[in-house]
Amino acid sequence: MVNPIKQAVILAGGMGTRLQPFTNDNPKPMYPVNGVPFIEHLIIQIKEFGIHHVLILLGYMPEKIMDYLGNGEKYDLNIEYAVTPPSFETGERLAQAGEKIKDDFLLLYCDNYCPVDYERLLSDFQTNNAVIQISAYTNEDHYTKDNLRVAENGCVELYDKKRTSPHLEGVDIGYALVKKEALTLFQNEKNAVQSGNFELVTYPALVREKKLYATFTKHRYYSIGSWTRIEETKKFFDHRKTIFLDRDGTINVRPPKACYVEKEEEFIWLDGAMQAIRILKDHGCRIILVSNQPGIVRGRLTVETLNRIHAKMQMELKQETGYEIDAIYFCPHNWDEGCDCRKPKPGMLYQAQKDFALNLRTCLLIGDDERDIQAGMAAGCRSILVSESYDLLCAAKDLIEEEAV
């Protein structure tokens, strides 16, 4: 897809009082995560989106960010700045920078990061002819308070910045594609001068015009907005490679169709599977098993039996390689129960994402069934299909060879 968005605008001017004492001497976006300021992670992501012009709206201690990022040359980007007083609200900063802002742009907050599906966001923006297409977290795990009510077609029916209205589902996380006419709308609204907040003024106005749309993600977002979120954010930016493995047919002999591994002795390792896991673990990978187990709901085995099978699997693996699989997720449901966890749905991957603070866009999924591949793709993972002629050991050796892990 050709990317028509040429500019990203980052709101980065606030005083960051919730991050004191760090922000007594530093602007919030300079908080170090994985050895670099948080804002640098955003700059790199923007470049990955195919955007090469960045405008950063600064206020508090602007020189520290400007001195670090410079003109963007070291990132092969063009970075500009617009500086306003630290007391300015988001709408005031955008209004003051109006001459530097392009007709269509990506708007980000300086303290949020999410590996959004940018191509889908862009496609939705164009399809909906939205003035603003926001990214929204589904928030099914109640990670924060909801502030949206959204129709099935993605049109936002209510934006509640105070988060007190009933029947809210989902929360705005930034990464908004914006037409510049939204700035004119902000300036023309009667309460713009009183509020100064871009979202509080503009979003409700666009809701009335049915021009505000949301693209949802189930991938948790990460933040340096407060101390309570920072440890999880640091885990998220820990670049340890994670590989999801299917079970039957990938690491062990697949039972005949409509049959299951129902006893410990029926779990038989495929040739080379343990060696493959050892290779991946030797290179620092985290290994997570994701397996459909409908035999449970069909009465063919119990969760207790499945746990014993997996205990045997782990024991044999450790005896042979010195390693164990890091985590095991299974779906006990039948195909017609409508759950979110049975592959080809990606529910197990999203659960692991939250448990381990993963970036699913840097993870791999390896399986022997098209449903595995579909689950990986739905979660944004790179996926590899294995077979009798190209097994897990072949895949592991190729991954190491290409330095993908």
Side-chain angles (χ1 to χ4, degrees):
M1 177 185 294
V2 176
N3 182 11
I5 307 299
K6 305 301 182 184
Q7 183 187 52
V9 178
I10 305 177
L11 291 163
M15 296 181 67
T17 54
R18 288 188 295 172
L19 220 58
Q20 291 175 334
F22 175 81
T23 50
N24 290 341
D25 303 304
N26 302 276
K28 179 171 59 175
M30 291 299 291
Y31 186 85
V33 179
N34 252 41
V36 300
F38 184 81
I39 196 168
E40 185 166 334
H41 294 291
L42 288 174
I43 294 295
I44 292 169
Q45 185 184 36
I46 288 167
K47 183 177 178 180
E48 291 171 349
F49 290 160
I51 299 173
H52 295 281
H53 296 272
V54 183
L55 174 63
I56 306 179
L57 308 186
L58 301 175
Y60 181 63
M61 296 189 180
E63 68 284 345
K64 292 203 172 186
I65 295 175
M66 296 167 73
D67 289 346
Y68 184 83
L69 297 177
N71 64 4
E73 184 178 0
K74 63 182 175 181
Y75 307 102
D76 195 25
L77 296 173
N78 178 10
I79 298 179
E80 293 183 280
Y81 305 92
V83 181
T84 48
S87 60
F88 268 34
E89 283 279 0
T90 53
E92 295 173 291
R93 294 193 200 285
L94 287 162
Q96 288 291 318
E99 292 183 359
K100 294 185 176 183
I101 295 177
K102 298 186 183 298
D103 289 343
D104 294 332
F105 60 97
L106 172 67
L107 181 64
L108 301 92
Y109 305 130
C110 69
D111 56 0
N112 275 5
Y113 186 105
C114 184
V116 297
D117 184 341
Y118 179 75
E119 288 191 1
R120 184 161 71 93
L121 178 68
L122 179 58
S123 176
D124 289 348
F125 179 57
Q126 296 169 326
T127 300
N128 296 325
N129 193 28
V131 172
I132 299 181
Q133 183 83 34
I134 61 174
S135 294
Y137 178 51
T138 56
N139 201 34
E140 295 165 341
D141 56 346
H142 306 294
Y143 184 55
T144 186
K145 289 185 177 180
D146 296 319
N147 66 3
L148 299 173
R149 188 183 304 150
V150 182
E152 288 188 9
N153 68 349
C155 187
V156 178
E157 297 178 330
L158 178 65
Y159 172 78
D160 179 7
K161 192 170 180 65
K162 293 184 179 179
R163 309 184 186 208
T164 57
S165 300
H167 311 301
L168 298 173
E169 292 184 338
V171 60
D172 166 37
I173 59 172
Y175 293 90
L177 290 176
V178 183
K179 293 185 184 296
K180 193 173 181 178
E181 64 188 79
L183 303 188
T184 303
L185 178 62
F186 168 81
Q187 293 169 307
N188 290 341
E189 283 292 302
K190 293 181 180 179
N191 59 338
V193 175
Q194 181 180 358
S195 168
N197 185 282
F198 180 70
E199 299 90 342
L200 184 60
V201 172
T202 309
Y203 286 10
L206 290 176
V207 166
R208 293 192 296 270
E209 296 180 12
K210 298 188 183 302
K211 289 293 186 179
L212 181 68
Y213 283 78
T215 298
F216 276 100
T217 178
K218 292 188 175 186
H219 200 300
R220 182 178 284 179
Y221 67 97
Y222 293 87
S223 174
I224 57 162
S226 66
W227 289 113
T228 57
R229 294 280 173 86
I230 281 180
E231 286 308 310
E232 281 292 295
T233 301
K234 288 179 178 178
K235 290 179 186 177
F236 174 77
F237 283 105
D238 173 10
H239 295 302
R240 183 182 178 189
K241 195 67 160 184
T242 296
I243 296 180
F244 293 101
L245 294 181
D246 171 53
R247 200 191 78 175
D248 298 346
T250 301
I251 68 169
N252 63 288
V253 175
R254 174 185 283 278
K257 189 174 182 179
C259 296
Y260 312 97
V261 175
E262 300 174 16
K263 302 175 183 177
E264 297 158 66
E265 58 269 24
E266 293 176 355
F267 183 92
I268 302 170
W269 286 91
L270 284 168
D271 290 343
M274 284 196 278
Q275 183 184 350
I277 293 172
R278 180 173 58 202
I279 289 172
L280 296 172
K281 295 287 283 184
D282 281 346
H283 283 77
C285 294
R286 178 190 289 117
I287 304 294
I288 297 177
L289 198 69
V290 286
S291 177
N292 289 348
Q293 291 295 325
I296 293 173
V297 73
R298 296 174 187 175
R300 302 290 291 272
L301 75 160
T302 64
V303 172
E304 291 75 14
T305 301
L306 181 65
N307 288 338
R308 288 197 299 271
I309 292 168
H310 286 158
K312 170 183 180 287
M313 173 193 73
Q314 294 279 48
M315 178 189 68
E316 291 175 344
L317 180 62
K318 189 165 186 178
Q319 287 176 343
E320 180 69 22
T321 69
Y323 293 115
E324 290 184 339
I325 289 170
D326 294 273
I328 300 170
Y329 295 83
F330 64 89
C331 170
H333 305 111
N334 212 342
W335 65 269
D336 57 353
E337 291 187 64
C339 70
D340 290 327
C341 51
R342 181 178 169 84
K343 295 177 289 184
K345 292 185 178 180
M348 287 186 282
L349 280 67
Y350 281 118
Q351 185 57 55
Q353 188 280 311
K354 296 172 178 61
D355 292 343
F356 289 90
L358 304 176
N359 183 343
L360 289 176
R361 293 197 166 272
T362 66
C363 296
L364 288 163
L365 184 144
I366 303 176
D368 73 316
D369 191 293
E370 283 296 332
R371 290 172 296 183
D372 301 319
I373 307 306
Q374 291 168 11
M377 291 176 62
C381 297
R382 175 187 172 189
S383 301
I384 298 174
L385 185 67
V386 293
S387 62
E388 290 184 4
S389 59
Y390 184 77
D391 60 13
L392 181 60
L393 182 57
C394 293
K397 288 180 176 178
D398 283 350
L399 288 171
I400 302 306
E401 183 70 24
E402 69 182 38
E403 298 182 348
V405 296

